[in-house]
Amino acid sequence: MKSALIIGSGLGGLSTALRLSHKGYDVTILEKHHRAGGRLNLIEQDGFRFDMGPSFMSMTYELDELFNSINEKNPIELEELDPLYQVFFEGKEKPRLIYKDLQKLQEEFKDIEPDLANKVDKYLSRAGQFFHDTEDKVVKSNFNNKLEYILKLSRVPLKHLPYLFKTMWSEVDKTFKSEEMKIIFSLVAFFLGSTPFQTPAIYSLLNYTEMRHNGYWKVKGGMYKMVEEILKILERNGVKIHYNTEIVSIGNNNSKLNEVIDQNGKRWTADIIISNSDAASFRGKLLGRKNYSEAKLDKMHWTLAPYTIYLGVKGKVDKLMHHNYFLGSNFRGYADTIFTSSINPQKPYYYVNVTSKSDQTAAPEGHENIYILCPVPDLRFKKDWSDKEELAETLISDLSQRTGFDIKNNIVTKRIMAPDDWANTLNLYKGSGLGLAHDIDQVGAFRPSNKDEEFSNLYYVGASTTPGTGLPMVIISSKLVTERIEKDYATLS
Ligand SMILES: Cc1cc2nc3c(=O)[nH]c(=O)nc-3n(C[C@H](O)[C@H](O)[C@H](O)COP(=O)(O)OP(=O)(O)OC[C@H]3O[C@@H](n4cnc5c(N)ncnc54)[C@H](O)[C@@H]3O)c2cc1C
């Protein structure tokens, strides 16, 4: 039986463990944190439960594919969101509801955006064509080299080419009349680690996945249920997980990576090693690769860092829904400075998630669990977060004012995670929340490969390798790396 060692138990690592253990590999997972899941994690505090990072799932059919591939019924109960979320614009008292149903969306915005259903329909149809023309050819493919990737890209219909050179903002600007609609449709650019003024228009495919294709889903019982259900199957499959175990260096190696060493000096060996630790920084920090030195990593384009607050609050905040966005004024100015500013934002844009709205077990009766996520520059630009309480105060007072509920004086429990906490807890490079960004020169064969350049038995899975970041993408990543391993080693089942 071949043995596989997976470094990290993020969703990418866990999904790979599911696939390999099903195929008969003897799988061991080493995890730095005390709990599995990586960014898909859980905070339990004073009777409250919070999703630590991800709060919604998209492209849910990737979960079905994962469980089908191991002959298991998908055990995760999902509930589709419609409205998807609500958006609070600065200075406007009434939030806007964002519906997947275009007639309802048109009704919601009829005062500022005429003929909206028709405009969105055209916009999403174009984005959808691009999505379907690239999903299998590019997103779900392994590439051995750049030439192979470019040849695959050349099979994508030429009609999409102009969208590589236009920005997302130019497309929404052309499509919609109201500033509000333009902003709503371009927010997805920030998830990719860029701004709508720089992101190519092709990434409007994310609008398509959220608003038409498969939508946004929440997990019944909280996002962490996904991890708990996977862990049950892994246990049945005999997969061993060692927590509080961080791989900090490598041992003697030849053309293979024969051993990796943890913080206590213990040496771990296996036939195959898969890093679910960031694919770029692992190569730099642990393998000492020159192309991934700190100076080179710093020059790469990383996604924004998360600044998160978890609040247990007494009372019910009626104005909040499950998913809420709070936007400031001066969108362009915000976009221009958000990645590189070294000071706390004065008028932050942020997202609020309240699972106690629909899950009675997430907070004690008569209370809410409020999770605030504010994207901020990573540690390259703002190194010192000793002032982290200040930003929390700004956010909590803004949220109180805009919801008309005195949150500050009703807090019964609170935790803050600034970018340095995210970096230290999960080894996220300089605290970048979603890993490497998705610029054209950082995707496909230009993204760190899922197969190592030197060690023939070392592979990578997760957000900073192919195809990219986000929960469905790292599930696809686990499929791609398993295909690689199967091709390199004979299948055992
Ligand atoms: C705040 C936030 C909100 C998000 N919201 C969403 C969302 O709503 N929907 C969505 O689809 N995506 C969301 N994402 C993105 C999503 O969480 C990630 O893309 C995905 O979870 C990454 O999974 P991964 O497999 O790359 O591993 P990770 O989650 O990064 O896990 C890697 C694991 O490896 C461990 N590790 C690292 N180095 C070592 C080492 N040397 N030794 C041992 N262990 C190590 C870490 O501790 C960690 O547990 C969000 C991310 C963040 C930060």
Side-chain angles (χ1 to χ4, degrees), residues 167-170 179 186 189-190 194-200 331-336:
T167 66
M168 185 178 256
W169 186 259
S170 72
E179 194 70 2
S186 60
F190 293 100
S194 191
T195 78
F197 306 101
Q198 292 154 339
T199 301
F331 189 59
R332 179 114 214 185
Y334 172 78
D336 286 347

Side-chain angles (χ1 to χ4, degrees), residues 8 10 12 31-32 38-39 54-56 247 276-277 427 434 463 469-471:
E31 170 53 55
K32 169 189 159 100
R39 286 166 256 198
S55 55
F56 63 84
I247 293 306
N276 182 218
S277 185
N427 284 358
L434 305 193
T469 195
L471 300 174

Side-chain angles (χ1 to χ4, degrees), residues 367-402:
H367 292 70
E368 306 273 39
N369 66 345
I370 299 182
Y371 157 33
I372 304 174
L373 164 60
C374 179
V376 292
D378 66 51
L379 299 173
R380 287 173 301 172
F381 304 103
K382 181 166 163 36
K383 290 185 180 55
D384 181 9
W385 281 90
S386 54
D387 60 354
K388 63 179 157 195
E389 284 288 343
E390 268 174 36
L391 182 53
E393 273 184 30
T394 308
L395 287 162
I396 292 167
S397 101
D398 191 71
L399 185 60
S400 299
Q401 195 208 326
R402 289 163 86 172

Side-chain angles (χ1 to χ4, degrees), residues 416-435:
I416 299 174
M417 280 184 73
D420 52 348
D421 300 311
W422 280 92
N424 297 335
T425 310
L426 302 171
N427 284 358
L428 300 186
Y429 188 70
K430 306 254 162 137
S432 162
L434 305 193

Side-chain angles (χ1 to χ4, degrees), residues 7-14 30-33 35-41 52-58 223 245-248 276-278 282 286 306 308 310 351 371 373 422 425-428 432-434 461-464 468-472 474:
I7 303 170
S9 66
L11 184 61
L14 293 175
L30 305 178
E31 170 53 55
K32 169 189 159 100
H33 195 49
R35 204 195 312 253
R39 286 166 256 198
L40 178 57
N41 227 300
M52 183 170 120
S55 55
F56 63 84
M57 180 72 191
S58 56
M223 297 296 284
T245 305
E246 180 180 8
I247 293 306
V248 292
N276 182 218
S277 185
D278 186 274
F282 186 91
L286 275 96
T308 48
Y310 310 89
Y351 159 81
Y371 157 33
L373 164 60
W422 280 92
T425 310
L426 302 171
N427 284 358
L428 300 186
S432 162
L434 305 193
V461 66
S464 286
T469 195
L471 300 174
V474 302

